[in-house]
Amino acid sequence: MISISHLRKAYGDTVAVDDVSLEVAAGEVMGILGPNGAGKTTTVECVAGLRVPDSGTVRVAGLDPRTDRPELTRVLGVQLQESRLQPKITVAEAMRLWSALYADPVPWAGLVERLGLEDQAGSRFRDLSGGQQQRLSIALALVGRPRVVILDELSTGLDPRARREVWQVVRDLRADGVTVLLVTHAMEEAQQLCDRIAIIDHGRVRALDTPDGLISEASAATVTSFTAEEPVDLESLRALASVSSVRTDAGRVVVEGRDGAALEVLERLARQQVTPHGLRVVDGTLDTAYLQLTDTREETPA
Amino acid sequence: MSTSTNRGTTPGTAPGTSTATPAASRTSPTAAVVRTEAVLFGRELGSLFWIVLFPTILLVILGFVPDFTEPDPALGGQRVIDLYASVVVVLATIMAAVMAMPSVIAGYRESGVLRRLRTTPVHPAALLGAQVALHAAAVLGSVVLALGTARVLHDVPLPGAVGWYAVALVLTTAAAFSVGAVVTAVSASARVVQTVGTVVIFPLMFTSGVWMPVQTMSGWLRDVVVATPLGAASEALNDALHGLRPDLVDLAVVTGWAAVLSLVAVRLFRWE
């Protein structure tokens, strides 16, 4: 549904996007993660037709964002980062205006309700909180029944409750078969919502996999933690091949390692006659995977 | 141009009930943009005051200056108040095109409204067109109010050469908007627009004759002023008000400035 091939975009001497290729299947929720200045926003702006790539090609539903703008705007909904509306326009007026721009708009009252803005229908844009402005912006991106949606910094500035509501909206989009390109900083958000995640750094795709795939690739796929009354020989745990790090954290011993590290740790503890208490074995988080991929980029083939 | 804002669906159509509205009965995107901008313009009470009311108020007050209502042989028998009837019309165009509109457009550009609209089926030019149309409509309202009031209160004649007056008014408005467009185009932010606008507005007011009508100027000052867009506009409007065909040189000066400045603005304008 979205096809990006060898995209490159520089602003003067600064290369924002070096070489990004990405295929997003129809109905897929693709997350784009990466540090600030990694080229995430420039990439999606090229997809939205707001910027002209220096080289490479972009296709959205077979359309070229540069030359097929009228057709593109009918299939693509865009929520931009830091985009504001007319200061004195009300929520209802904005929704009504945007509805009139599309041939078959979603009934906007329902959309406003799903985003928790029904009490603000008569409020002017400048009087809305940052989170409310953000939710209105999302509603506007969806009102035209897009087949593809770009959401840039979806939940920035939202309180936890509003964030859940917005996440549900993305899940509903997915259930409806809409293709979503989700730019985010929030690992939890990416992990919860995305079918696949592309980690972008320095204008290149560093990794592209499912959230689980990214986590299990990382050296901290599982985290084993416990307390013990007996002294624990941490060095002997560190010596295990599957273990990547051992530390004590508020009295608990925390061992990070690859899949299967937990069993080896327990075996080693039994040999040391140590009885672990409050034992917990959990999946590693995307955070660790992300930090590894964006830190050690020289070792990661693009 | 203002009638187009009224067509289309009634604003009260209940949202959420009309999923199957036939396309023909729906508001066209451009009409929806114009209608929305009209509502928003109606909330700009400050702009409306300066564009629509202020020129008339000024004209009414000047009419109470005793000397201004005496026919002056040096002015070919015209009274000073008669001259001011044209000056305040030019003033209305300055207020709309240079004071009010550039900061609106620059604000839209700065806050990303234009950019956001680029991702929808309507081109952001529709928004600029709507703003120009609405501000021009306000100018027209201001002109009608000023001339009507002057006629009733101070016995200033209504335009004698209506056709020529319309031509002069359209050209004057075009020239003023082209100045405003250049101000918007050269300014990087809404803040700069305010500053540049304030700097530009005083010479514009002077050349249009707010402090002394162009016809009362003499020598090199008059030669310079009638070569400026709004000085020539004042002359042309005054001629047409008194039933004369405006000097073609004046009309050419106004048209020339409008064309050149519009071209410059289009070349320099950035959408974001």
Side-chain angles (χ1 to χ4, degrees):
Chain A
M1 187 55 85
I2 302 175
S3 168
I4 304 171
S5 166
H6 299 295
L7 179 70
R8 185 184 167 83
K9 175 75 185 175
Y11 306 112
D13 289 340
T14 319
V15 178
V17 176
D18 189 8
D19 182 5
V20 166
S21 298
L22 204 58
E23 295 285 333
V24 186
E28 189 176 24
V29 178
M30 172 70 83
I32 297 191
L33 272 174
N36 287 329
K40 307 184 298 286
T41 293
T42 303
T43 302
V44 295
E45 282 175 346
C46 289
V47 174
L50 289 169
R51 297 204 184 278
V52 179
D54 295 339
S55 63
T57 55
V58 176
R59 291 289 179 277
V60 180
L63 300 165
D64 183 341
R66 267 187 296 173
T67 53
D68 307 323
R69 203 191 76 92
E71 293 77 18
L72 179 76
T73 57
R74 289 187 191 100
V75 298
L76 179 68
V78 183
Q79 174 247 318
L80 297 165
Q81 208 184 132
E82 284 170 17
S83 165
R84 304 172 61 79
L85 295 178
Q86 296 93 320
K88 293 186 183 175
I89 199 168
T90 67
V91 170
E93 285 162 356
M95 294 305 301
R96 211 177 288 140
L97 171 61
W98 247 253
S99 299
L101 304 183
Y102 296 94
D104 180 24
V106 179
W108 62 263
L111 200 52
V112 160
E113 204 170 309
R114 269 167 68 199
L115 286 158
L117 285 172
E118 64 273 24
D119 294 338
Q120 275 75 41
S123 304
R124 294 178 180 187
F125 184 79
R126 66 170 180 199
D127 298 330
L128 299 176
S129 71
Q132 290 165 343
Q133 293 181 347
Q134 176 84 348
R135 280 179 278 159
L136 175 58
S137 182
I138 295 166
L140 296 177
L142 303 182
V143 79
R145 290 187 203 275
R147 285 158 59 206
V148 182
V149 179
I150 293 176
L151 301 170
D152 195 352
E153 300 286 336
L154 176 73
S155 60
T156 306
L158 296 186
D159 60 45
R161 184 195 190 84
R163 182 173 302 141
R164 298 281 155 182
E165 285 170 0
V166 167
W167 284 3
Q168 190 54 48
V169 168
V170 176
R171 290 194 185 100
D172 293 346
L173 286 172
R174 187 168 178 275
D176 291 344
V178 176
T179 309
V180 180
L181 203 53
L182 179 74
V183 177
T184 183
H185 270 311
M187 300 298 154
E188 196 195 351
E189 181 168 291
Q191 202 167 349
Q192 293 262 345
L193 299 177
C194 298
D195 295 310
R196 286 193 300 158
I197 295 172
I199 294 182
I200 293 187
D201 192 18
H202 289 258
R204 285 169 175 268
V205 177
R206 299 295 165 189
L208 175 63
D209 205 340
T210 61
D212 287 345
L214 286 173
I215 292 166
S216 62
E217 283 287 300
S219 57
T222 64
V223 180
T224 310
S225 67
F226 58 89
T227 57
E229 281 154 23
E230 304 85 357
V232 182
D233 179 4
L234 298 181
E235 284 311 315
S236 76
L237 296 181
R238 279 197 188 104
L240 291 169
S242 61
V243 168
S244 57
S245 85
V246 180
R247 62 177 195 275
T248 51
D249 190 358
R252 289 182 75 80
V253 178
V254 181
V255 183
E256 293 181 343
R258 286 202 304 273
D259 249 358
L263 282 177
E264 288 188 36
V265 167
L266 291 180
E267 196 188 336
R268 186 59 59 98
L269 290 176
R271 223 183 292 167
Q272 291 176 20
Q273 318 256 305
V274 173
T275 316
H277 294 284
L279 176 68
R280 269 194 304 226
V281 181
V282 295
D283 275 346
T285 61
L286 198 53
D287 284 278
T288 344
Y290 168 81
L291 291 172
Q292 279 178 3
L293 286 161
T294 51
D295 274 357
T296 59
R297 60 183 169 278
E298 290 83 4
E299 297 158 27
T300 317
Chain B
M1 60 193 78
S2 59
T3 52
S4 67
T5 62
N6 294 328
R7 78 194 149 80
T9 57
T10 47
T13 333
T17 56
S18 57
T19 33
T21 320
S25 75
R26 292 180 59 252
T27 321
S28 88
T30 308
V33 169
V34 173
R35 191 183 60 197
T36 305
E37 290 304 308
V39 170
L40 296 178
F41 188 45
R43 290 181 188 149
E44 299 300 329
L45 299 181
S47 294
L48 288 171
F49 170 80
W50 288 107
I51 301 168
V52 181
L53 294 182
F54 176 66
T56 299
I57 292 170
L58 184 66
L59 193 59
V60 168
I61 292 170
L62 290 173
F64 294 113
V65 176
D67 287 355
F68 284 9
T69 49
E70 297 299 323
D72 186 345
L75 297 172
Q78 279 194 297
R79 303 170 302 165
V80 173
I81 193 67
D82 296 332
L83 303 179
Y84 269 108
S86 301
V87 171
V88 298
V89 165
V90 182
L91 186 61
T93 67
I94 297 174
M95 289 301 166
V98 185
M99 200 196 75
M101 206 184 79
S103 57
V104 175
I105 302 296
Y108 284 179
R109 180 175 56 192
E110 197 169 320
S111 61
V113 176
L114 299 181
R115 186 175 152 76
R116 179 77 195 244
L117 222 51
R118 275 174 65 199
T119 67
T120 72
V122 71
H123 193 275
L127 199 62
L128 304 194
Q131 280 291 326
V132 171
L134 291 165
H135 280 85
V139 168
L140 191 63
S142 176
V143 170
V144 170
L145 183 65
L147 294 184
T149 308
R151 174 74 191 81
V152 173
L153 277 186
H154 302 313
D155 220 19
V156 175
L158 291 176
V162 178
W164 284 114
Y165 195 85
V167 169
L169 183 60
V170 167
L171 293 177
T172 304
T173 310
F177 275 101
S178 68
V179 174
V182 171
V183 169
T184 315
V186 300
S187 307
S189 71
R191 217 197 187 107
V192 178
V193 161
Q194 294 276 354
T195 315
V196 175
T198 314
V199 169
V200 168
I201 218 164
F202 286 100
L204 286 178
M205 280 165 61
F206 180 81
T207 55
S208 64
V210 172
W211 285 281
M212 51 191 298
V214 181
Q215 294 76 10
T216 64
M217 297 174 183
S218 58
W220 64 268
L221 180 61
R222 186 187 164 87
D223 294 341
V224 170
V225 167
V226 297
T228 64
L230 298 189
S234 255
E235 287 265 86
L237 285 168
N238 186 50
D239 287 342
L241 187 72
H242 295 282
L244 303 173
R245 190 199 73 187
D247 199 334
L248 291 182
V249 175
D250 288 333
L251 292 180
V253 167
V254 181
T255 311
W257 277 107
V260 170
L261 292 174
S262 303
L263 216 69
V264 169
V266 168
R267 291 295 294 267
L268 295 179
F269 186 76
R270 295 284 171 266
W271 291 102
E272 47 185 88

